[in-house]
Structures are given as C-alpha cells and as structure tokens.
Amino acid sequence: MTMLTVEQLAHTYGTGPKAVTALKDITFSVNPGELVSIVGPSGCGKTTLLRAMAGLMEPTGGTVALEGDRITEAPEGLAMVFQDYRGSLFPWLTVEKNVRFPLKGHGLPKDEIDSRVADSLVAVGLKGFEESFPSQLSGGMQQRVAIARALAYRPKILLMDEPFASVDAQTREELEDLVLVVKQRFDMTILFVTHDIDESVYLADRVVVLSKRPTFVQTVLEVHLPAERDQITTKEDPEFIRLRGEAARLIRSAPSGSDAAITDRHAA
Ligand code: ADP
Ligand code: MG
C-alpha cells in the first residue's frame, strides 16, 4: 500500500483581489521505505504543502491520505523536522529529555522508551551529549537532536522542511549522509523538501520537481543511483549529473500554473 497520497492538492491564501494561490495542482505519492524529495523555487509553496500534509492546515482543494486514511488533523504516525532548529527544541530541556518528550503518554513501557531514546541518540552521533542543553550545541547538532527525536518516535513517515538550509556546507553534507544512514537503519519513509537541486537528487529515490507559483508538479524524476551514496563519487556519476541538469533546466525555465502553455497542456 502507498504510505502517503497527495491528490490534486490546492491552496489559496485569502480571498478576492488579495488572494494568493500558492498551490494549484499537486499530485504525487510516497511508497513505504522510499525517500521522496520535493524541489522547487523559493516561495512556490513547499511549506504550505508540508503543513497541509501534517494536518496543520486545511487546504482549499484536494486531499492527503496516510495509509489510505484521509488527513484532516495532525495524525499520530507523522513527525516533522523544520528548517529553524532554534524554534523546534525545548530550550529548558536537556537533549535526552527533548528526545524523550514526544514518547510520553502513548502507553509505552519505560524500558522501551529508554532504549529508543538511547538508540536514536547513538544513531545521530550524540552519545555523550544527553545532559547538554540545546543552547550549548551548534546548529548542526541541534538538528541532530531534532532528527533523534523523530527517530525515537518511529513515525510512519518523516517530513523534513528544508532542514539543513541554515547550516554551513560541511555540516550540511554530514547531515545529508546522516539522513541516508538512519533511513536504511530504521527503514524510514521520508519526504524531504528542499530548494537545493543537488541535495534533492543526492538523497532521493524519486524527485518531485515543482513549478513556480501557482504551483504544479512539473515532473517526477526516478533516481537510478546505487543506494550507497557518497558526497564525492555520487556527484561525479553521469546519472547524477544528468538528473541535476534536468531538474535545473525545469526549475530555471519554471513556468507557473497560470501560464497559457500549461493551461493548453492540461487541456490537451
Ligand atoms: P516555500 O516554502 O516554497 O518558500 P511557502 O509555502 O512558505 O513557500 O509560501 C508560498 C506562498 O504563499 C508565498 O507566496 C507566501 O508569501 C504565501 N504565504 C505563505 N503563508 C501565507 C499566509 N499565512 N498568508 C498569506 N500568504 C502566505
Ligand atoms: Mg518554506
């Protein structure tokens, strides 16, 4: 069964002459165990899309379903990692307590919670930092805490909204590789949103390429690269170069859903 299904999703902010149509027509799906990335220009509606998927906002059109159940409010089986690491952790809780927090009140035995928290802190390379507070950590390490928290929660799907846009290039590569490792180790299903084309191809099994606003899906690229990826050799692979070129051309020329050409294509 498909893990996540997005069908003809549309969202317009406001009404009348001031209305802004962020999303016009978004359809795609994510299969279990897949990492699907979504790439599109700034302001095209990526965060709007994730908010609709997380049940944080009701879209003005279309549907989102998790394992076939339509999402109307924040569902249980979903975790999110945001771009702004400063706002996503509780500053007054230690690293360990931040990771533990979402596991409370679900009837899990204490042993199970303890082992999940310990496991996920090891998986993200934060063993030894259990008693630190977020403010004592770098931005990259704070994102590791956010990832550990999501891992410990064992979501059906993890949504990531430009999670590495605010860290330096070196840290970003390390965090990208961390995502690939934990995806394999925990058999995760991940939807990864980014405006960075290289990142979208490097991480993904499939890449959903968006248009400019009003936004529709231009194409979905299948990434036929080996599962084992490497920041240097993967990026030299002719298939990687071909895919990033294709995505870049689509985004540069990015038509928007209001262009006549697109209306014609939809009508044809
Ligand atoms: P992205 O994440 O791709 O940068 P967003 O989803 O944040 O894009 O925003 C898409 C468009 O919708 C932008 O033009 C933005 O200004 C507009 N927008 C976002 N949130 C609101 C809001 N609450 N009210 C009105 N317009 C909004
Ligand atoms: Mg955004």
Side-chain angles (χ1 to χ4, degrees):
M1 191 201 241
T2 311
M3 185 60 83
L4 186 83
T5 318
V6 178
E7 269 182 276
Q8 295 189 308
L9 196 78
H11 192 73
T12 299
Y13 288 104
T15 50
K18 284 194 187 144
V20 173
T21 297
L23 304 172
K24 185 175 184 189
D25 182 1
I26 307 290
T27 297
F28 69 93
S29 61
V30 184
N31 297 312
E34 230 187 348
L35 192 155
V36 171
S37 62
I38 298 192
V39 65
S42 268
C44 77
K46 300 184 294 299
T47 296
T48 302
L49 179 59
L50 279 191
R51 285 173 53 77
M53 285 190 279
L56 298 172
M57 170 201 103
E58 194 185 344
T60 52
T63 57
V64 184
L66 184 62
E67 289 185 316
D69 295 327
R70 188 167 169 183
I71 294 176
T72 50
E73 55 185 30
E76 275 272 302
L78 202 139
M80 189 127 148
V81 174
F82 301 91
Q83 172 177 347
D84 184 13
Y85 50 82
R86 289 171 213 89
S88 71
L89 301 175
F90 298 116
W92 60 87
L93 294 181
T94 62
V95 165
E96 206 265 354
K97 291 200 165 74
N98 264 286
V99 174
R100 185 176 289 272
F101 188 82
L103 300 180
K104 291 184 188 166
H106 294 277
L108 288 168
K110 184 174 179 299
D111 285 2
E112 169 76 13
I113 296 182
D114 288 346
S115 76
R116 282 199 200 182
V117 171
D119 266 10
S120 42
L121 283 170
V122 170
V124 303
L126 283 179
K127 194 171 165 47
F129 292 92
E130 290 83 355
E131 301 308 316
S132 301
F133 287 89
S135 62
Q136 298 172 308
L137 305 177
S138 67
M141 286 167 87
Q142 291 185 45
Q143 275 311 46
R144 286 176 190 262
V145 180
I147 293 168
R149 186 174 56 185
L151 293 179
Y153 185 66
R154 308 263 162 93
K156 289 177 183 159
I157 187 163
L158 172 60
L159 308 181
M160 305 183 87
D161 189 5
E162 307 209 41
F164 312 141
S166 311
V167 299
D168 64 86
Q170 168 83 38
T171 304
R172 180 180 193 138
E173 290 191 348
E174 288 167 14
L175 291 171
E176 288 168 0
D177 289 333
L178 175 66
V179 167
L180 292 174
V181 167
V182 297
K183 180 204 168 210
Q184 282 207 337
R185 156 111 202 268
F186 294 87
D187 198 18
M188 306 271 292
T189 307
I190 302 175
L191 185 69
F192 191 102
V193 167
T194 180
H195 67 264
D196 185 293
I197 292 167
D198 282 23
E199 183 170 75
S200 75
V201 175
Y202 182 70
L203 292 175
D205 299 304
R206 290 188 297 139
V207 183
V208 177
V209 183
L210 301 178
S211 70
K212 277 191 284 211
R213 201 163 58 69
T215 306
F216 63 96
V217 175
Q218 298 205 77
T219 192
V220 179
L221 301 171
E222 303 262 347
V223 180
H224 296 295
L225 288 166
E228 292 292 323
R229 307 216 176 153
D230 175 272
Q231 292 285 354
I232 297 168
T233 54
T234 300
K235 290 176 179 174
E236 291 169 342
D237 190 312
E239 173 70 355
F240 179 89
I241 294 167
R242 185 185 72 76
L243 288 165
R244 71 184 288 235
E246 194 169 335
R249 262 186 288 278
L250 284 167
I251 288 174
R252 183 167 40 176
S253 61
S256 80
S258 60
D259 287 1
I262 299 308
T263 315
D264 288 352
R265 203 188 64 188
H266 275 258

